[in-house]
Amino acid sequence: MKNYEMKNIRNILLVGGSGSGKTTLVEHMLNKAKATSRIGKIDEGNTVMDFDPEEIEKKMSISLSIGHLDWKNARVNMIDAPSYPDFYGEQIAGFTAAETALMVVNGAAGFDVSLELPLELMAKNPAIAKAIIVNRLDNEHADFQKAIDMIQENSEIIPAPLIIPIGKENTFNGVVDIVKGKAFVDGKVTAIPDDMADFVEESRMKLMEAVAEADDTLLEKYFEEGELTDEELASGIKVGINKGIVVPVFATSATKDVGVETLLDAIIDYLPSPADRPEVPADFNGEIKKIKASADGELYAYIFKSFADPNIGDIAYVKVLSGTLRSGMDVLIPEKDGKDKIGAVSYVQGKNRTDTTELRAGEIGGLVKLKLARGMNSIVPTNAKYCFPSPKLPSPIYWQRIRAANQSDEDKIGAALTRLLDEDPTVRLELNTETHEQILSGAGEQQINLVVKNLMKRFKVEAVLETPRIPYRETITGNADERYRHKKQSGGRGQYGEVYFRLKPSERGKNYEFIDSIVGGRIPSKFVPAIEKGVVETMDRGVIAGYKVVDISVEVYDGSYHDVDSSEMAFKIAASQCLKACFAKANPILLEPIHTVKIVIPNEYMGDVMGDISTRRGKILGMEQSGKKQILNAQLPLAELFSYYPALKSLTQGRGRFEQEFSHYERVPYEVAEKVIAEYKEQD
């Protein structure tokens, strides 16, 4: 395998809408470059990028995959990310490894909801170059200009056509490269059709304006002369794309193999290489600095995706940012604060790997048999003090309790889940210490269901998903004064302990306060810890509904004991019963977790979403305009948030999304609390 210099590498991330033909386009690109001997088809389940059994069955991409081709003495590494919103994390991972994000759009469809997230990621990653491919232009109702307008209407992007179509729908048979001023039909250079002259000139002027905006020198000349030379336009395009200012548009039909070769030429001619990014960011203990990137520099690599395979071990997809990564190297994994050893190094083509001795700066490949390193981990020299800046991951919006279906698998499910979760950091597993449930959370139902399927397929562990319990809490709003005597005599030594409690609410969030006000030896000091233990254990178990008691002040101020029959256990029981008696008299209430939510929606759905929040006992905190969208800030009870993901999708035709984080606990309305308490009593 040939090693390429940084300037001769292109790392592109393919994102786009569902049904845009992204996977088919990659197949034709690979075949055109002779990286494959045949063109795979989705219906036949033999494409390079969609090789997972679940992807073949569903006929859709669900996991990030990588491949490569050689074209015009350059290496093009392709990162193919799924379009479905539940697998949003795969797109985030891809953005960390590419210099350019290529968004593939279905020219025959309207605005697809699956374009929302890649458009937002493009906006959030200004350092990443951006380009658009309008594909499937041979289809009925396909419209190149309409697709461009659609992107512009729904984002801040101003697309600049660079390769435009010849013909429309079933007459689409070629493309025009505006910069070169050439037409390509059936892979051959031809004259530009006469009826396209005005459109070509108009597109060229738009492109020239976009290029001039990216370079002050070119802008000055453009204002003075109203024209740029072909050479100035070509070089200006490269500068503008690299700065993220110019967003070129390419016309293609993968199925008819129209525009694919021209697209490959444009990728090499115009899109940035790793050498165009001579400095890469690094996190020095919270301070982001720039590191010079070169093949001769210090090793700096990043694992943007890992894949758990029980048969061959974990596979890591790695981007070498600087230096050279070789098999056998001892390295540091700073996120794990531990050392690892590099095993086999390879180039990856879908599910296949070709061994190599090293990966140089700018290259993308695969690593196997790493003991410590996983997805979103850095690889640096053993004495290094830096790591790759952690990408911001979305907060969970869908939760399920997970448990092994068979008791015999309880010991295996944890380890299996840990390996699967390394593949997608947006899926999280947490133990809720209050409800004692393992909670699996992530970006959506499809994503969580896939984890369960992979548990069975890869690790033979059957799991069950259930709606989690709400971690309510119990507290009081009034004061109470009670005494309780625990006295038991059944032959032999008896049990005796008596306590007097004063109970009152304490400051919210303080948990609890225990006050020892006993005087005159009414209760020996050696029994006081047992009294407090009885209080704490009862608080943990709950009193009225089985949930943790919080924010109370318990004062023990009197009591009595017996020289022979008193014991720690007797006082512990007395304390527990006395607390329960006080609690019942102190106006007990339930508290529920309230989360702050940030809901992003198109303007036209604002009324419906606000109305729905009101029905969910939510509070509107405010709203603000963000580009073409509205951001609605609100608070919702967690009990309502568990079902909010599908509801918001339904209300906004899939175009709404939200982020959430815990805010505080708040009193549960009387009718809801009564229902929760009644259910607890039925179980008790």
Side-chain angles (χ1 to χ4, degrees):
M1 271 289 187
K2 180 180 177 182
N3 285 115
Y4 286 92
E5 295 182 27
M6 291 175 69
K7 66 180 181 179
N8 294 325
I9 297 172
R10 304 291 183 271
N11 297 312
I12 61 172
L13 168 67
L14 289 136
V15 293
S18 300
S20 62
K22 184 162 51 72
T23 301
T24 302
L25 179 61
V26 171
E27 285 295 315
H28 281 265
M29 292 168 70
L30 289 168
N31 186 257
K32 184 74 67 176
K34 295 182 170 52
T36 59
S37 58
R38 54 104 180 104
I39 297 171
K41 296 182 179 179
I42 294 171
D43 287 340
E44 295 175 7
N46 57 1
T47 63
V48 171
M49 295 301 205
D50 289 355
F51 57 85
D52 184 270
E54 194 72 18
E55 293 177 313
I56 294 170
E57 179 186 328
K58 290 184 176 293
K59 298 181 181 180
M60 62 180 281
S61 301
I62 59 176
S63 181
L64 181 148
S65 55
I66 62 176
H68 61 272
L69 59 85
D70 297 328
W71 190 258
K72 292 175 66 172
N73 295 314
R75 165 61 56 89
V76 179
N77 292 310
M78 296 176 292
I79 305 166
D80 186 14
S83 305
Y84 199 78
D86 280 28
F87 308 110
Y88 183 34
E90 305 290 291
Q91 296 184 34
I92 293 174
F95 266 87
T96 64
E99 279 77 48
T100 304
L102 264 173
M103 186 167 73
V104 185
V105 179
N106 183 352
F111 188 76
D112 190 283
V113 297
S114 54
L115 292 175
E116 299 269 8
L117 293 176
L119 282 171
E120 183 167 304
L121 281 172
M122 284 179 169
K124 287 181 177 179
N125 291 273
I128 301 293
K130 306 158 189 70
I132 296 167
I133 300 172
V134 181
N135 191 35
R136 304 189 71 168
L137 286 172
D138 58 308
N139 287 21
E140 188 178 359
H141 305 304
D143 190 320
F144 181 73
Q145 189 59 50
K146 185 177 179 181
I148 293 174
D149 294 341
M150 172 187 71
I151 295 298
Q152 192 164 342
E153 288 169 8
N154 289 278
S155 71
E156 300 299 304
I157 290 175
I158 302 176
L162 196 154
I163 296 173
I164 61 176
I166 298 174
K168 193 173 183 180
E169 299 180 1
N170 62 344
T171 65
F172 173 52
N173 64 349
V175 295
V176 175
D177 185 321
I178 291 173
V179 180
K180 296 176 181 176
K182 295 178 181 179
F184 300 85
V185 178
D186 296 327
K188 298 176 182 178
V189 179
T190 65
I192 297 174
D194 292 339
D195 61 355
M196 288 190 66
D198 291 343
F199 183 40
V200 170
E201 184 59 28
E202 180 187 338
S203 298
R204 183 180 173 87
M205 293 305 294
K206 285 182 180 178
L207 184 61
M208 205 173 288
E209 289 173 9
V211 168
E213 289 287 340
D215 187 287
D216 291 340
T217 303
L218 293 179
L219 183 62
E220 187 175 334
K221 181 181 179 184
Y222 180 70
F223 278 145
E224 289 177 358
E225 301 181 16
E227 183 74 23
L228 299 176
T229 66
D230 290 350
E231 292 76 16
E232 288 170 336
L233 184 57
S235 62
I237 286 170
K238 290 190 68 173
V239 172
I241 292 174
N242 191 36
K243 287 182 176 180
I245 297 172
V246 176
V247 182
V249 185
F250 312 117
T252 64
S253 166
T255 52
K256 286 186 68 174
D257 192 18
V258 179
V260 177
E261 187 168 332
T262 317
L263 171 64
L264 285 168
D265 287 343
I267 288 171
I268 305 303
D269 293 343
Y270 304 118
L271 300 188
S273 72
D276 293 315
R277 308 289 169 82
E279 293 184 324
V280 290
D283 187 339
F284 287 80
N285 196 27
E287 183 181 356
I288 306 299
K289 299 180 181 179
K290 296 286 187 177
I291 289 180
K292 184 178 179 181
S294 74
D296 300 324
E298 189 172 68
L299 174 64
Y300 183 24
Y302 180 66
I303 298 172
F304 57 94
K305 167 76 176 177
S306 60
F307 179 79
D309 189 312
N311 298 316
I312 61 174
D314 294 344
I315 303 169
Y317 296 160
V318 64
K319 162 80 174 290
V320 181
L321 301 164
S322 185
T324 302
L325 185 65
R326 298 184 179 89
S327 178
M329 292 179 75
D330 291 317
V331 296
L332 176 70
I333 313 301
E335 292 85 355
K336 301 290 180 66
D337 194 24
K339 295 179 181 179
D340 213 332
K341 192 177 190 71
I342 302 301
V345 180
S346 61
Y347 295 110
V348 180
Q349 193 78 287
K351 66 180 178 181
N352 299 315
R353 303 193 309 277
T354 303
D355 289 341
T356 183
T357 55
E358 63 183 26
L359 294 172
R360 293 157 56 88
E363 291 192 304
I364 286 174
L367 306 174
V368 296
K369 298 181 180 178
L370 293 172
K371 293 182 179 179
L372 192 62
R374 296 293 182 270
M376 296 195 173
N377 283 175
S378 310
I379 298 176
V380 296
T382 54
N383 61 347
K385 304 293 184 184
Y386 55 87
C387 66
F388 191 80
S390 298
K392 183 181 178 182
L393 299 175
S395 59
I397 59 172
Y398 184 77
W399 299 262
Q400 288 283 282
R401 176 196 178 192
I402 187 168
R403 60 179 177 82
N406 304 309
Q407 196 168 359
S408 58
D409 287 336
E410 285 290 347
D411 294 336
K412 293 192 292 184
I413 192 170
L417 278 171
T418 298
R419 292 188 64 186
L420 287 175
L421 267 53
D422 283 335
E423 295 183 20
D424 187 351
T426 63
V427 184
R428 303 171 192 179
L429 180 69
E430 297 174 325
L431 173 65
N432 188 313
T433 55
E434 295 185 27
T435 62
H436 308 291
E437 295 176 334
Q438 291 280 2
I439 306 300
L440 195 62
S441 60
E445 185 177 6
Q446 289 250 30
Q447 183 192 43
I448 299 302
N449 287 340
L450 181 63
V451 172
V452 174
K453 283 187 177 181
N454 284 334
L455 272 174
M456 188 64 192
K457 284 184 177 180
R458 298 195 209 165
F459 301 98
K460 310 304 179 199
V461 175
E462 186 179 356
V464 175
L465 295 176
E466 299 167 330
T467 302
R469 291 175 64 210
I470 306 298
Y472 293 109
R473 291 180 177 176
E474 303 176 14
T475 192
I476 55 173
T477 57
N479 299 342
D481 193 319
E482 268 292 340
R483 54 173 284 193
Y484 187 88
R485 176 184 295 169
H486 177 65
K487 183 177 182 181
K488 193 173 184 181
Q489 194 74 44
S490 57
R493 183 175 176 178
Q495 295 182 30
Y496 184 90
E498 184 180 32
V499 293
Y500 289 65
F501 280 177
R502 292 191 188 101
L503 187 66
K504 64 180 181 179
S506 67
E507 183 182 342
R508 186 63 55 87
K510 197 172 182 179
N511 194 13
Y512 95 105
E513 180 183 26
F514 181 79
I515 303 170
D516 176 8
S517 298
I518 298 168
V519 294
R522 297 286 294 172
I523 300 175
S525 59
K526 66 178 181 178
F527 293 130
V528 173
I531 295 172
E532 184 174 5
K533 189 174 183 181
V535 168
V536 171
E537 289 183 0
T538 303
M539 288 178 63
D540 287 341
R541 289 193 300 269
V543 178
I544 59 173
Y547 294 97
K548 183 178 180 181
V549 173
V550 296
D551 305 335
I552 62 171
S553 173
V554 181
E555 180 185 10
V556 53
Y557 65 92
D558 201 359
S560 63
Y561 73 102
H562 188 278
D563 287 333
V564 176
D565 292 343
S566 286
S567 65
E568 291 183 355
M569 180 57 71
F571 275 103
K572 181 179 167 183
I573 294 171
S576 175
Q577 295 301 319
C578 192
L579 176 61
K580 290 178 182 179
C582 280
F583 204 85
K585 291 184 175 181
N587 300 324
I589 61 170
L590 283 182
L591 302 173
E592 65 180 337
I594 304 296
H595 286 233
T596 299
V597 292
K598 178 182 176 182
I599 309 165
V600 183
I601 47 175
N603 294 328
E604 58 264 35
Y605 302 111
M606 177 62 76
D608 291 341
V609 172
M610 290 179 67
D612 182 66
I613 288 173
S614 297
T615 67
R616 293 174 179 274
R617 301 189 285 119
K619 298 176 184 176
I620 306 294
L621 302 180
M623 61 191 76
E624 57 188 282
Q625 189 78 28
S626 176
K628 310 286 184 178
K629 304 284 182 63
Q630 284 277 359
I631 296 178
L632 188 62
N633 295 301
Q635 287 184 337
L636 280 172
L638 181 60
E640 299 291 340
L641 207 54
F642 279 165
S643 60
Y644 192 57
Y645 166 72
L648 184 63
K649 281 179 67 176
S650 176
L651 283 170
T652 63
Q653 297 183 31
R655 296 187 62 188
R657 64 190 182 282
F658 71 96
E659 300 173 359
Q660 60 75 36
E661 63 178 356
F662 169 76
S663 175
H664 63 282
Y665 269 82
E666 201 170 275
R667 182 171 183 168
V668 177
Y670 176 79
E671 62 277 8
V672 177
E674 286 294 293
K675 183 178 178 181
V676 173
I677 293 168
E679 288 175 354
Y680 172 71
K681 289 179 178 178
E682 286 178 11
Q683 297 171 0
D684 200 20

mmCIF file of all heavy atoms in Angstrom, residues 34 37 54 59 83 88 113 117 135 159 194 277 343 362 411 440 507 532 592 614 617 660 669:
data_model
loop_
_atom_site.group_PDB
_atom_site.id
_atom_site.type_symbol
_atom_site.label_atom_id
_atom_site.label_comp_id
_atom_site.label_asym_id
_atom_site.label_seq_id
_atom_site.Cartn_x
_atom_site.Cartn_y
_atom_site.Cartn_z
ATOM 1 N N LYS A 34 -11.776 1.927 -9.411
ATOM 2 C CA LYS A 34 -11.269 0.544 -9.444
ATOM 3 C C LYS A 34 -10.849 0.035 -8.060
ATOM 4 O O LYS A 34 -9.995 -0.842 -7.938
ATOM 5 C CB LYS A 34 -10.110 0.412 -10.437
ATOM 6 C CG LYS A 34 -10.539 0.654 -11.886
ATOM 7 C CD LYS A 34 -9.381 0.469 -12.850
ATOM 8 C CE LYS A 34 -9.870 0.474 -14.303
ATOM 9 N NZ LYS A 34 -10.704 1.630 -14.660
ATOM 10 N N SER A 37 -14.422 -4.313 -7.798
ATOM 11 C CA SER A 37 -14.587 -4.898 -9.131
ATOM 12 C C SER A 37 -16.042 -4.943 -9.578
ATOM 13 O O SER A 37 -16.332 -5.254 -10.731
ATOM 14 C CB SER A 37 -14.002 -6.321 -9.152
ATOM 15 O OG SER A 37 -14.651 -7.129 -8.171
ATOM 16 N N GLU A 54 -27.688 -6.078 10.537
ATOM 17 C CA GLU A 54 -28.858 -5.244 10.803
ATOM 18 C C GLU A 54 -29.071 -4.231 9.677
ATOM 19 O O GLU A 54 -30.203 -3.947 9.279
ATOM 20 C CB GLU A 54 -28.676 -4.515 12.142
ATOM 21 C CG GLU A 54 -29.930 -3.876 12.690
ATOM 22 C CD GLU A 54 -30.942 -4.883 13.209
ATOM 23 O OE1 GLU A 54 -30.555 -6.046 13.473
ATOM 24 O OE2 GLU A 54 -32.121 -4.504 13.334
ATOM 25 N N LYS A 59 -31.954 -2.393 5.258
ATOM 26 C CA LYS A 59 -31.629 -1.661 4.026
ATOM 27 C C LYS A 59 -31.411 -0.177 4.308
ATOM 28 O O LYS A 59 -31.900 0.704 3.592
ATOM 29 C CB LYS A 59 -32.710 -1.872 2.966
ATOM 30 C CG LYS A 59 -32.854 -3.326 2.535
ATOM 31 C CD LYS A 59 -33.907 -3.508 1.467
ATOM 32 C CE LYS A 59 -34.007 -4.994 1.094
ATOM 33 N NZ LYS A 59 -35.024 -5.242 0.046
ATOM 34 N N SER A 83 -28.007 8.357 8.270
ATOM 35 C CA SER A 83 -28.851 9.555 8.201
ATOM 36 C C SER A 83 -29.887 9.611 9.319
ATOM 37 O O SER A 83 -30.323 10.695 9.708
ATOM 38 C CB SER A 83 -29.578 9.599 6.851
ATOM 39 O OG SER A 83 -28.665 9.526 5.783
ATOM 40 N N TYR A 88 -27.416 9.918 15.561
ATOM 41 C CA TYR A 88 -26.795 11.240 15.502
ATOM 42 C C TYR A 88 -25.335 11.196 15.947
ATOM 43 O O TYR A 88 -24.472 11.882 15.396
ATOM 44 C CB TYR A 88 -27.619 12.159 16.405
ATOM 45 C CG TYR A 88 -27.227 13.610 16.476
ATOM 46 C CD1 TYR A 88 -26.714 14.293 15.390
ATOM 47 C CD2 TYR A 88 -27.418 14.326 17.665
ATOM 48 C CE1 TYR A 88 -26.391 15.636 15.466
ATOM 49 C CE2 TYR A 88 -27.108 15.666 17.757
ATOM 50 C CZ TYR A 88 -26.589 16.317 16.649
ATOM 51 O OH TYR A 88 -26.271 17.648 16.735
ATOM 52 N N VAL A 113 -36.435 15.551 6.853
ATOM 53 C CA VAL A 113 -36.119 15.857 8.256
ATOM 54 C C VAL A 113 -34.725 15.382 8.641
ATOM 55 O O VAL A 113 -34.104 15.933 9.546
ATOM 56 C CB VAL A 113 -37.163 15.242 9.211
ATOM 57 C CG1 VAL A 113 -38.513 15.850 8.963
ATOM 58 C CG2 VAL A 113 -37.222 13.731 9.071
ATOM 59 N N LEU A 117 -30.154 17.568 11.161
ATOM 60 C CA LEU A 117 -29.002 17.388 12.042
ATOM 61 C C LEU A 117 -27.672 17.642 11.343
ATOM 62 O O LEU A 117 -26.810 18.337 11.902
ATOM 63 C CB LEU A 117 -29.041 15.997 12.674
ATOM 64 C CG LEU A 117 -30.200 15.785 13.659
ATOM 65 C CD1 LEU A 117 -30.224 14.355 14.163
ATOM 66 C CD2 LEU A 117 -30.087 16.750 14.830
ATOM 67 N N ASN A 135 -28.104 14.620 -5.596
ATOM 68 C CA ASN A 135 -28.084 13.308 -6.253
ATOM 69 C C ASN A 135 -29.493 12.935 -6.727
ATOM 70 O O ASN A 135 -30.468 13.627 -6.447
ATOM 71 C CB ASN A 135 -27.542 12.271 -5.271
ATOM 72 C CG ASN A 135 -27.234 10.942 -5.920
ATOM 73 O OD1 ASN A 135 -26.791 10.891 -7.068
ATOM 74 N ND2 ASN A 135 -27.482 9.852 -5.202
ATOM 75 N N PRO A 159 -25.542 28.097 -0.900
ATOM 76 C CA PRO A 159 -24.871 27.164 -1.810
ATOM 77 C C PRO A 159 -24.384 27.867 -3.079
ATOM 78 O O PRO A 159 -25.036 28.786 -3.585
ATOM 79 C CB PRO A 159 -25.964 26.137 -2.136
ATOM 80 C CG PRO A 159 -27.035 26.343 -1.095
ATOM 81 C CD PRO A 159 -26.957 27.793 -0.739
ATOM 82 N N ASP A 194 -26.242 25.054 -26.067
ATOM 83 C CA ASP A 194 -26.576 26.466 -26.272
ATOM 84 C C ASP A 194 -27.655 26.959 -25.319
ATOM 85 O O ASP A 194 -27.609 28.103 -24.846
ATOM 86 C CB ASP A 194 -27.038 26.673 -27.721
ATOM 87 C CG ASP A 194 -25.907 26.469 -28.724
ATOM 88 O OD1 ASP A 194 -24.737 26.572 -28.305
ATOM 89 O OD2 ASP A 194 -26.201 26.196 -29.903
ATOM 90 N N ARG A 277 -4.704 22.189 6.729
ATOM 91 C CA ARG A 277 -4.963 22.460 8.151
ATOM 92 C C ARG A 277 -3.662 22.180 8.907
ATOM 93 O O ARG A 277 -3.538 21.167 9.603
ATOM 94 C CB ARG A 277 -6.091 21.571 8.686
ATOM 95 C CG ARG A 277 -7.365 21.602 7.852
ATOM 96 C CD ARG A 277 -8.083 22.935 8.003
ATOM 97 N NE ARG A 277 -9.158 23.089 7.033
ATOM 98 C CZ ARG A 277 -10.376 22.590 7.160
ATOM 99 N NH1 ARG A 277 -10.680 21.847 8.206
ATOM 100 N NH2 ARG A 277 -11.295 22.820 6.238
ATOM 101 N N GLY A 343 -1.420 -2.662 18.171
ATOM 102 C CA GLY A 343 -1.333 -3.981 17.545
ATOM 103 C C GLY A 343 -1.266 -3.851 16.042
ATOM 104 O O GLY A 343 -0.526 -3.015 15.509
ATOM 105 N N GLY A 362 -2.522 12.537 8.611
ATOM 106 C CA GLY A 362 -3.577 12.765 7.629
ATOM 107 C C GLY A 362 -4.320 11.512 7.243
ATOM 108 O O GLY A 362 -5.418 11.585 6.683
ATOM 109 N N ASP A 411 -24.769 -11.638 35.278
ATOM 110 C CA ASP A 411 -23.336 -11.352 35.402
ATOM 111 C C ASP A 411 -22.721 -10.949 34.065
ATOM 112 O O ASP A 411 -21.716 -10.235 34.037
ATOM 113 C CB ASP A 411 -22.592 -12.568 35.961
ATOM 114 C CG ASP A 411 -22.992 -12.884 37.398
ATOM 115 O OD1 ASP A 411 -23.452 -11.954 38.087
ATOM 116 O OD2 ASP A 411 -22.838 -14.047 37.820
ATOM 117 N N LEU A 440 -30.791 2.663 30.528
ATOM 118 C CA LEU A 440 -30.132 2.824 29.238
ATOM 119 C C LEU A 440 -30.782 4.021 28.549
ATOM 120 O O LEU A 440 -32.011 4.067 28.411
ATOM 121 C CB LEU A 440 -30.330 1.559 28.403
ATOM 122 C CG LEU A 440 -29.445 1.350 27.167
ATOM 123 C CD1 LEU A 440 -27.974 1.246 27.567
ATOM 124 C CD2 LEU A 440 -29.878 0.108 26.413
ATOM 125 N N GLU A 507 -34.145 22.999 55.071
ATOM 126 C CA GLU A 507 -33.917 23.723 53.818
ATOM 127 C C GLU A 507 -33.874 22.751 52.637
ATOM 128 O O GLU A 507 -33.271 21.679 52.714
ATOM 129 C CB GLU A 507 -32.599 24.491 53.931
ATOM 130 C CG GLU A 507 -32.259 25.344 52.738
ATOM 131 C CD GLU A 507 -30.905 26.033 52.925
ATOM 132 O OE1 GLU A 507 -30.433 26.111 54.079
ATOM 133 O OE2 GLU A 507 -30.342 26.472 51.910
ATOM 134 N N GLU A 532 -29.818 7.257 65.185
ATOM 135 C CA GLU A 532 -29.608 7.926 63.895
ATOM 136 C C GLU A 532 -29.633 6.915 62.741
ATOM 137 O O GLU A 532 -30.178 7.189 61.673
ATOM 138 C CB GLU A 532 -28.285 8.687 63.892
ATOM 139 C CG GLU A 532 -28.081 9.470 62.603
ATOM 140 C CD GLU A 532 -26.845 10.358 62.637
ATOM 141 O OE1 GLU A 532 -26.080 10.312 63.628
ATOM 142 O OE2 GLU A 532 -26.636 11.107 61.660
ATOM 143 N N GLU A 592 -40.975 15.566 42.752
ATOM 144 C CA GLU A 592 -40.606 14.915 41.490
ATOM 145 C C GLU A 592 -39.493 15.694 40.808
ATOM 146 O O GLU A 592 -39.386 16.918 40.972
ATOM 147 C CB GLU A 592 -41.807 14.801 40.556
ATOM 148 C CG GLU A 592 -42.368 16.124 40.082
ATOM 149 C CD GLU A 592 -43.552 15.946 39.152
ATOM 150 O OE1 GLU A 592 -43.675 14.875 38.539
ATOM 151 O OE2 GLU A 592 -44.361 16.887 39.034
ATOM 152 N N SER A 614 -48.066 22.573 27.919
ATOM 153 C CA SER A 614 -49.027 22.909 28.976
ATOM 154 C C SER A 614 -49.777 21.670 29.458
ATOM 155 O O SER A 614 -50.035 21.516 30.662
ATOM 156 C CB SER A 614 -50.018 23.954 28.462
ATOM 157 O OG SER A 614 -49.351 25.159 28.147
ATOM 158 N N ARG A 617 -47.964 19.499 32.136
ATOM 159 C CA ARG A 617 -47.618 20.163 33.397
ATOM 160 C C ARG A 617 -46.297 20.926 33.292
ATOM 161 O O ARG A 617 -45.557 21.078 34.255
ATOM 162 C CB ARG A 617 -47.540 19.154 34.563
ATOM 163 C CG ARG A 617 -48.821 18.407 34.799
ATOM 164 C CD ARG A 617 -48.780 17.586 36.070
ATOM 165 N NE ARG A 617 -47.977 16.383 35.950
ATOM 166 C CZ ARG A 617 -46.910 16.120 36.667
ATOM 167 N NH1 ARG A 617 -46.499 16.982 37.566
ATOM 168 N NH2 ARG A 617 -46.246 15.001 36.505
ATOM 169 N N GLN A 660 -32.007 18.183 27.163
ATOM 170 C CA GLN A 660 -32.549 18.286 28.518
ATOM 171 C C GLN A 660 -31.451 18.130 29.550
ATOM 172 O O GLN A 660 -30.400 17.536 29.287
ATOM 173 C CB GLN A 660 -33.629 17.221 28.730
ATOM 174 C CG GLN A 660 -33.175 15.783 28.567
ATOM 175 C CD GLN A 660 -32.346 15.260 29.719
ATOM 176 O OE1 GLN A 660 -32.586 15.592 30.887
ATOM 177 N NE2 GLN A 660 -31.353 14.416 29.409
ATOM 178 N N PRO A 669 -48.247 17.399 42.092
ATOM 179 C CA PRO A 669 -49.658 17.766 42.301
ATOM 180 C C PRO A 669 -50.411 16.684 43.066
ATOM 181 O O PRO A 669 -50.106 15.483 42.940
ATOM 182 C CB PRO A 669 -50.196 17.899 40.870
ATOM 183 C CG PRO A 669 -48.996 18.212 40.044
ATOM 184 C CD PRO A 669 -47.857 17.486 40.680
#
